[in-house]
Amino acid sequence: MPHARIHYIDHSYSPEDHLARVLDVNPDIYGISFASPFAELACRMVRAVKARRPGIRVVCGGPHPTVDPAAVLLSSGADYCCLGEGERTLPELVASIASDTNPSSIAGLVSRGDDGTMAFAPPRDPVLTLDELPLPAWDLVDFRRYSGATVSRGTWSTAITASRGCLWNCTFCSNPVWRLRRPLLRVRSPSQVAREVEILYSYGVREIYIRSDEMNADIDWAVEVFSRLAALAHRDLYFQCNVRAEPMTARLADAMRRAQCWLCYVGVESASQRVLNGVRKGITLEGIHTCVRLLKESGIDVYAFMMLYNVWEDHNLLRTESTSEVLASLRFILSLRRMGLVDFMSWGFATPYPGSDLHRVCVKYNLIRHVCPGSTHVPTPHDMTLRLPGIPTYMMVLTRALGLLLQGFLSWRAPESYRTGSLLKNLRHTAYKLRCIVRPS
């Protein structure tokens, strides 16, 4: 493959400055990766690049182009979409463009011809051994330009992944990037995770959010990962991670504590077992209690993710989470806080991301508000996206406001185990959600 120069444009640029940077570099290839909530902005940026530099080849990647590549190519005017993992697809595409050959047969690629026709190459198998992939080019990142995690102890902070995929299949999760092929879960070796952490530490990073879907899918592996991180013996380095409520063991919680993992995000979603079963969460209320208790007994703070007004289908019948169940869920979190078992929480409406079973159900029953044909706009959990039968809009607004107040209360009452800047960032995030309440839906 020919030598290629890479210019990284970080998040801090405004859309106008981002475009100006692209035009200044004038690359042969412009790559942009995005999730569904940012699809509209990303497609707008691609159109602007193409309008000013038609000769630049544009390739889109990430979760949303994987879910709906045809719509992305049609809306944005991009030339290619990488489906799923792009670490091997993209170098082959670059080599093909450099050698002026037709890349349309490259596995994992969708190409758009000059006449608008689409060519779908065969899918690419996932990378089974993640250690074979090179580590990210962290030397291209200026960590000072990032605000870091909303809640943190150390600065600077960043995120890594220790695994890819998920063994579970919740209805609200749009996880097609990792579910294209089996195995559904692949993990990096604990030694390589520790190696990447050591590199980040040498660059001045002092907090790392391990953003794998869940760190406790394989308990033995997770214990070994945190044991390797503890062995680095950096007393000023802290970790956060995601865990499922089940399975959780005292052995894992202890290993996390010894590695200075001080915060765990737990997807509680609802305090109704009926709802948890309906959305195929695969956890129980008893399991939630056990998980947060084990974490707190090891001195680890708990951040609960909550999801309001879940929707699912049962034997071809539409099911919805009732307002009474939503309010019971908020009371459940408040009771856990009173018992000292939860420190933070966030809330959001169930959001029908493309590719999820939730999206299929919402389309089938015409639940999505303001659907514009051909639009790339995808709502966020802050938006009141759904029209639910029997649940008036004012009640959804009220419960959203109550969830916001509870989130703000927990932020205000949070333990003084992290710096003041984290509290301010969390309150600013809460203020953003307040704007979502008062704006029209």
Side-chain angles (χ1 to χ4, degrees):
M1 175 179 168
H3 177 73
R5 288 186 62 194
I6 298 174
H7 297 264
Y8 170 61
I9 304 177
D10 64 45
H11 80 300
S12 62
Y13 288 86
S14 67
E16 295 76 18
D17 291 340
H18 182 110
L19 176 60
R21 178 66 175 151
V22 173
L23 299 180
D24 180 60
V25 173
N26 195 27
D28 297 304
I29 303 171
Y30 170 63
I32 183 169
S33 177
F34 51 94
S36 294
F38 305 101
E40 190 171 42
L41 175 61
C43 289
R44 190 163 63 243
M45 179 60 63
V46 172
R47 289 194 297 269
V49 170
K50 276 294 193 178
R52 290 160 178 79
R53 295 285 194 277
I56 294 178
R57 305 288 187 92
V58 177
V59 54
C60 298
H64 191 78
T66 295
V67 173
D68 200 358
V72 168
L73 292 176
L74 287 173
S75 173
S76 68
D79 301 286
Y80 312 102
C81 278
C82 274
L83 306 189
E85 299 172 354
E87 289 95 345
R88 290 177 173 168
T89 304
L90 184 59
E92 291 183 22
L93 174 61
V94 172
S96 175
I97 293 174
S99 60
D100 198 26
T101 59
N102 186 353
S104 62
S105 62
I106 294 175
L109 195 70
V110 180
S111 307
R112 183 183 62 86
D114 293 336
D115 59 355
T117 58
M118 310 261 176
F120 289 77
R124 181 177 293 272
D125 291 333
V127 179
L128 296 180
T129 306
L130 298 181
D131 285 6
E132 295 177 357
L133 297 174
L135 294 178
W138 289 114
D139 57 299
L140 298 181
V141 179
D142 184 352
F143 295 102
R144 295 170 297 181
R145 298 174 65 87
Y146 288 84
S147 59
T150 302
V151 180
S152 63
R153 283 184 174 181
T155 54
W156 305 313
S157 66
T158 191
I160 65 171
T161 57
S163 63
R164 289 183 177 180
C166 178
L167 297 175
W168 292 268
N169 192 24
C170 302
T171 60
F172 52 81
C173 183
S174 177
N175 206 1
V177 174
W178 315 127
R179 299 188 74 87
L180 292 174
R181 290 287 188 277
R182 292 181 180 273
L184 297 179
L185 176 70
R186 290 158 291 144
V187 299
R188 297 169 60 192
S189 67
S191 60
Q192 197 204 47
V193 175
R195 175 172 164 244
E196 183 175 13
V197 167
E198 187 69 21
I199 291 172
L200 288 168
Y201 186 85
S202 72
Y203 287 141
V205 172
R206 292 299 180 265
E207 179 140 359
I208 296 175
Y209 183 177
I210 306 177
R211 293 193 66 97
S212 301
D213 283 347
E214 65 279 315
M215 279 299 291
N216 55 336
D218 183 330
I219 296 291
D220 291 339
W221 167 80
V223 168
E224 179 62 22
V225 168
F226 285 110
S227 297
R228 293 289 186 119
L229 298 180
L232 297 177
H234 296 309
R235 304 314 302 168
D236 58 343
L237 178 61
Y238 302 94
F239 295 93
Q240 314 177 18
C241 72
N242 303 322
V243 298
R244 281 179 54 84
E246 299 176 83
M248 176 52 66
T249 66
R251 174 169 161 257
L252 175 55
D254 182 64
M256 296 165 69
R257 177 192 57 80
R258 287 187 280 106
Q260 298 194 133
C261 179
W262 73 279
L263 178 64
C264 276
Y265 298 83
V266 182
V268 175
E269 321 304 358
S270 175
S272 167
Q273 192 62 55
R274 181 185 81 95
V275 173
L276 294 175
N277 294 343
V279 300
R280 303 199 297 263
K281 183 68 180 178
I283 61 175
T284 63
L285 295 178
E286 181 182 0
I288 293 170
H289 273 281
T290 299
C291 175
V292 298
R293 177 180 55 78
L294 289 173
L295 292 171
K296 293 302 293 182
E297 286 176 353
S298 290
I300 299 172
D301 289 349
V302 173
Y303 195 122
F305 287 139
M306 301 299 296
M307 189 177 300
L308 312 183
Y309 292 108
N310 288 275
V311 177
W312 66 98
E313 191 177 39
D314 181 24
H315 294 90
N316 288 319
L317 294 175
L318 177 66
R319 306 295 186 187
T320 63
E321 185 175 15
S322 67
T323 296
S324 62
E325 287 173 315
V326 169
L327 295 175
S329 295
L330 296 177
R331 289 195 299 270
F332 176 69
I333 290 297
L334 186 57
S335 69
L336 291 178
R337 178 68 184 91
R338 287 171 178 163
M339 291 185 286
L341 297 179
V342 166
D343 303 281
F344 308 94
M345 66 88 71
S346 68
W347 60 270
F349 284 118
T351 304
Y353 288 121
S356 66
D357 191 60
L358 172 60
H359 186 269
R360 177 193 65 80
V361 171
C362 291
V363 170
K364 177 178 178 179
Y365 293 95
N366 193 29
L367 302 180
I368 303 176
R369 301 172 185 262
H370 312 307
V371 177
C372 299
S375 172
T376 53
H377 173 71
V378 177
T380 73
H382 312 319
D383 301 313
M384 192 162 55
T385 309
L386 304 181
R387 282 187 308 267
L388 301 181
I391 302 177
T393 299
Y394 78 86
M395 188 59 68
M396 297 179 72
V397 171
L398 176 60
T399 52
R400 177 164 59 172
L402 290 174
L404 172 66
L405 290 173
L406 181 56
Q407 178 178 343
F409 173 74
L410 265 63
S411 297
W412 176 59
R413 298 282 296 177
E416 296 181 5
S417 56
Y418 61 99
R419 55 191 173 82
T420 303
S422 294
L423 176 60
L424 295 176
K425 281 190 290 185
N426 204 28
L427 291 177
R428 283 196 296 269
H429 187 58
T430 304
Y432 167 75
K433 291 183 176 180
L434 178 60
R435 292 197 299 272
C436 291
I437 287 181
V438 299
R439 76 185 185 193
S441 295

